[in-house]
């Protein structure tokens, strides 16, 4: 795949003409970085100084609760921009950790070029703002959705609210007692509900871990 084709495959550059892409390539320093399995792309708390886009392969994102009592691990597939919103605002540090899962390729563009060159192109600016706005809208929608009455439904909503992508494999690293405390339920009721979902092949229970092979299947099945 050529550099031109690589850029057009990303939603941020879609709709741009060949002349626009050529002008960007002439003025912006692009870096394509190959990573091997287990490489850390960025740590939680690192300063977000570049626009990073996964253009090939899979990452694991690791989000940790502020009190460090649980973690949510997701498989993230390309194409995917790594926290573009973290380049702006009061806190410009990454909120999660990102680890290569297998071999992957990251496109890196220094933040200074975002302001000096890319922002000159209206299509890129509109695409960039639309994608960040869409993320904010989806988060707002999730917060205002009906809270399910069943324990299973509340467990699924707890997980869904904390996931970046509403599909794919997820690992929730949490003690049963902590999950029960968050949902204001007894440990026995939480355990019973999780075991019922495991019996239905919706998730797998391990020591201090809940593994979800497909979040979409889980959310489509447990609706209330």
């Amino acid at each position: 795949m050529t550099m031109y084709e690589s850029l057009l495959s990303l939603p941020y550059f879609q709709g741009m003409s060949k002349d626009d892409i050529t002008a960007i390539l002439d003025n912006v320093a692009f870096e394509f970085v190959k990573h091997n399995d287990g490489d850390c792309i960025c740590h939680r708390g690192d300063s977000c100084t570049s626009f990073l886009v996964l253009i090939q392969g899979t990452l694991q994102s690791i989000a940790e609760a502020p009190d460090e009592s649980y973690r949510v691990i997701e498989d993230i597939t390309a194409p995917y921009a790594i926290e573009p919103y973290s380049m702006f605002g009061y806190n410009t540090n990454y909120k999660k950790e990102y680890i290569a899962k297998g071999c992957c390729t990251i496109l890196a563009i220094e933040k200074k070029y975002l302001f000096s060159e890319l922002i000159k192109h209206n299509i890129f600016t509109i695409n960039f703002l639309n994608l960040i706005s869409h993320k904010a809208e989806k988060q707002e929608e999730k917060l205002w959705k009906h809270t399910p009455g069943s324990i299973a439904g509340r467990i699924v909503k707890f997980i869904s609210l904390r996931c970046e992508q509403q599909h794919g494999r997820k690992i929730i690293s949490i003690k049963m007692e902590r999950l029960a405390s968050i949902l204001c339920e007894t440990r026995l009721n939480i355990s019973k509900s999780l075991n019922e979902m495991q019996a239905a092949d919706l998730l797998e229970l391990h020591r201090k871990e809940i593994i979800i092979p497909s979040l979409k299947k889980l959310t489509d099945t447990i609706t209330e």
Side-chain angles (χ1 to χ4, degrees):
M1 185 181 290
T2 65
M3 179 84 80
Y4 176 76
E5 291 170 331
S6 295
L7 293 183
L8 283 184
S9 70
L10 303 174
Y12 298 89
F13 297 93
Q14 284 178 5
M16 299 184 76
S17 68
K18 192 164 186 176
D19 287 343
D20 288 332
I21 297 293
T22 300
I24 289 172
L25 292 174
D26 287 342
N27 295 290
V28 178
F30 290 86
E31 186 179 7
F32 288 87
V33 185
K34 300 281 187 180
H35 289 278
N36 296 317
D37 184 49
D39 287 352
C40 183
I41 310 302
C42 46
H43 292 279
R44 177 186 178 191
D46 285 352
S47 180
C48 183
T49 58
S50 295
F51 180 45
L52 301 180
V53 184
L54 172 69
I55 62 171
Q56 187 177 40
T58 303
L59 296 178
Q60 274 196 336
S61 75
I62 304 170
E64 191 163 25
D67 62 0
E68 301 181 352
S69 63
Y70 64 90
R71 297 192 306 167
V72 177
I73 303 170
E74 296 185 67
D75 287 353
I76 303 292
T77 54
Y80 176 78
I82 299 177
E83 296 188 27
Y85 47 85
S86 291
M87 290 189 289
F88 310 97
Y90 177 74
N91 181 359
T92 56
N93 298 326
Y94 288 108
K95 313 304 184 289
K96 302 177 185 178
E97 185 167 319
Y98 297 87
I99 307 293
K101 188 174 181 182
C103 295
C104 66
T105 304
I106 299 289
L107 166 65
I109 306 172
E110 287 186 45
K111 185 160 66 172
K112 65 180 181 181
Y113 291 113
L114 194 70
F115 295 106
S116 66
E117 296 298 332
L118 294 177
I119 213 73
K120 294 176 183 178
H121 299 270
N122 289 337
I123 294 177
F124 176 87
T125 304
I126 292 169
N127 288 341
F128 191 88
L129 292 175
N130 279 341
L131 288 161
I132 290 181
S133 298
H134 179 66
K135 176 183 171 58
E137 289 165 2
K138 297 301 288 184
Q139 287 298 114
E140 183 77 6
E141 285 176 13
K142 286 198 291 184
L143 287 172
W144 285 97
K145 276 186 177 178
H146 163 71
T147 298
S150 69
I151 296 173
R154 285 156 54 202
I155 291 172
V156 171
K157 183 175 182 181
F158 165 81
I159 294 169
S160 178
L161 281 174
R162 287 156 179 81
C163 289
E164 178 77 15
Q165 295 183 338
Q166 298 302 300
H167 59 271
R169 185 173 182 265
K170 318 293 177 185
I171 300 174
I172 317 302
S173 179
I174 189 170
K175 291 182 178 179
M176 201 80 73
E177 293 85 354
R178 180 57 179 143
L179 182 57
S181 173
I182 292 170
L183 298 180
C184 299
E185 270 296 342
T186 65
R187 184 190 184 286
L188 181 62
N189 286 342
I190 293 294
S191 177
K192 180 182 177 182
S193 184
L194 286 171
N195 276 283
E196 287 172 352
M197 286 188 275
Q198 178 172 243
D201 291 326
L202 297 173
L203 52 79
E204 302 168 16
L205 296 177
H206 298 272
R207 181 174 172 78
K208 300 180 184 178
E209 272 191 353
I210 303 167
I211 299 178
I212 301 165
S214 170
L215 180 60
K216 187 175 188 309
K217 180 181 176 182
L218 180 64
T219 54
D220 285 350
T221 304
I222 308 295
T223 56
E224 288 297 333

